[in-house]
Amino acid sequence: MLKGVFDQLSELGNLVPRYTGPRCLLERHTVGGCDACHSACPHEAIETPPGSYGVRVDPQKCTGCGLCVQACPTGALEYDLMTPLQSVHDQREQPADPRQPSGSPEATLTCVPSGAGGPSLPCLGRVTPALVAAAGAWDVPLTLIHGDCAACPVGRADVPGRLGAVVEQAQTLRAATGRPARVTVRAAVPEDQGRALKVSRRGAFTSLLRAGGRQLSQNLPERPLPFVDWSDPPQRTPQEWTWRRKALKPVPPAGVGVAWPAPLVDDKCIDCPVCANVCPTEAITRELRPEGGVRLLLNLGACTGCMACLHSCPPGAIHEQKEWLLAAFDVQILLRESDHTM
């Protein structure tokens, strides 16, 4: 069984997630730093080289489980999100599987070690709130099928619990739309091995179909992500948060707050540049005015809610606002304007 798992994983290509240094809170010298990726990794593949800032992923130890990506608060580590999104989107147009309890079209994602048929990822640790929220936006039921996580050589025993937290975060975001995502997280059962293989109507995954004994799987292809061009502001925002914003469908009614943690600044601000310096996506920008003074602006859609600005602010002038009106995503929010600079 384990040999089959590793054989399939070997076909997925480079399992190491992309690392974007400017988004890492360690490289940003955030007060308190961050060890979310290191704590989430079950294989000690995340390293912080002595005498340096940022992280390194050891390709010899990394299994591609994605738990570091799932845990990263800023998108410094990420996998391609478009392939699983496309798979979920296309499955909603497949004919209903009469063997399934719902009797209606549904999307499934499984992990390779589960042995379940259908589109599969190395581990469901790769499932993020944006993916669940998008399924809700498309109104397609999503079933996440995992294997025996306690004995899994790819991920870790608490993957189902972590998936529960991901679903909860997605549902909090979708609450503003009035239509929660229909998502089920469950362990694989023997009947899942014969589950219908659902493929994109474009045939994008046809070449990845394979059958081995009673185990049927369809590995979603790895698409290596190019390096981020930091000189292009839209690329500074990770796919994850771009799609969280896109997944706010149906459009929330006017006056309904969207759950999107982001900073506000009060009068204790001393107009120093710390918040802008530590922001991992440069969602906070600091403009010096020609006549003197400074303007502090927030691009809400680019804010990941990591609150590095709050933890690093010297006078404690920043606090978190958990909900915003949808209109706030379409403007530059003025956080602070003063007639002097530090």
Side-chain angles (χ1 to χ4, degrees):
M1 173 62 180
L2 293 186
K3 182 179 185 301
V5 169
F6 287 121
D7 285 346
Q8 290 185 59
L9 291 179
S10 69
E11 296 181 356
L12 295 177
N14 183 13
L15 296 173
V16 176
R18 177 177 70 178
Y19 174 64
T20 302
R23 293 189 192 137
C24 181
L25 296 183
L26 294 178
E27 289 201 18
R28 286 284 177 174
H29 304 285
T30 304
V31 172
C34 180
D35 69 346
C37 58
H38 180 269
S39 297
C41 180
H43 305 294
E44 299 183 349
I46 305 289
E47 304 171 350
T48 303
S52 64
Y53 294 93
V55 301
R56 176 182 176 274
V57 183
D58 185 340
Q60 301 303 314
K61 296 179 179 179
C62 179
T63 63
C65 68
L67 289 167
C68 59
V69 172
Q70 195 182 78
C72 181
T74 66
L77 291 166
E78 58 187 336
Y79 285 109
D80 167 42
L81 191 58
M82 296 306 298
T83 300
L85 280 169
Q86 186 70 58
S87 174
V88 170
H89 180 272
D90 285 356
Q91 287 181 71
R92 69 177 183 165
E93 299 178 7
Q94 300 297 322
D97 186 343
R99 293 177 298 176
Q100 303 311 319
S102 65
S104 61
E106 66 169 354
T108 66
L109 286 175
T110 74
C111 62
V112 169
S114 74
S120 63
L121 297 164
C123 174
L124 293 188
R126 293 203 185 191
V127 174
T128 65
L131 183 57
V132 176
W138 296 322
D139 198 26
V140 55
L142 176 63
T143 300
L144 303 172
I145 304 172
H146 62 83
D148 181 4
C149 297
C152 182
V154 181
R156 54 190 288 174
D158 64 352
V159 165
R162 289 173 178 266
L163 277 175
V166 165
V167 171
E168 182 179 359
Q169 191 173 355
Q171 299 290 33
T172 300
L173 175 64
R174 289 208 51 77
T177 70
R179 190 174 75 193
R182 294 182 286 167
V183 57
T184 301
V185 179
R186 66 169 177 83
V189 295
E191 291 76 15
D192 288 322
Q193 292 185 349
R195 177 177 285 270
L197 297 179
K198 299 180 179 180
V199 299
S200 165
R201 66 182 183 277
R202 297 178 178 85
F205 310 129
T206 302
S207 63
L208 286 102
L209 295 177
R210 62 175 284 145
R214 296 178 60 201
Q215 178 171 303
L216 296 176
S217 66
Q218 181 196 330
N219 300 336
L220 295 184
E222 292 285 335
R223 189 182 72 166
L225 292 171
F227 287 109
V228 172
D229 180 0
W230 204 256
S231 66
D232 182 16
Q235 292 193 39
R236 298 171 192 167
T237 303
Q239 281 187 355
E240 173 68 20
W241 278 268
T242 297
W243 273 92
R244 289 188 193 187
R245 169 71 179 86
K246 289 181 177 180
L248 289 171
K249 304 291 182 182
V251 176
V256 174
V258 174
W260 197 282
L264 284 178
V265 178
D266 63 32
D267 290 338
K268 294 192 294 291
C269 178
I270 58 176
D271 300 308
C272 74
V274 169
C275 58
N277 289 346
V278 302
C279 182
T281 58
E282 299 187 9
I284 297 177
T285 53
R286 185 172 180 265
E287 293 184 355
L288 298 177
R289 299 187 299 179
E291 66 275 15
V294 63
R295 298 175 79 232
L296 205 59
L297 301 169
L298 171 68
N299 176 358
L300 184 62
C303 179
T304 69
C306 69
M307 291 298 130
C309 53
L310 183 153
H311 300 306
S312 302
C313 180
I318 295 178
H319 62 275
E320 180 184 33
Q321 178 162 305
K322 296 183 180 297
E323 291 188 352
W324 300 77
L325 296 180
L326 193 64
F329 289 90
D330 299 323
V331 297
Q332 286 281 88
I333 299 170
L334 181 63
L335 295 176
R336 166 84 173 174
E337 187 169 27
S338 66
D339 57 6
H340 65 278
T341 58
M342 182 176 178

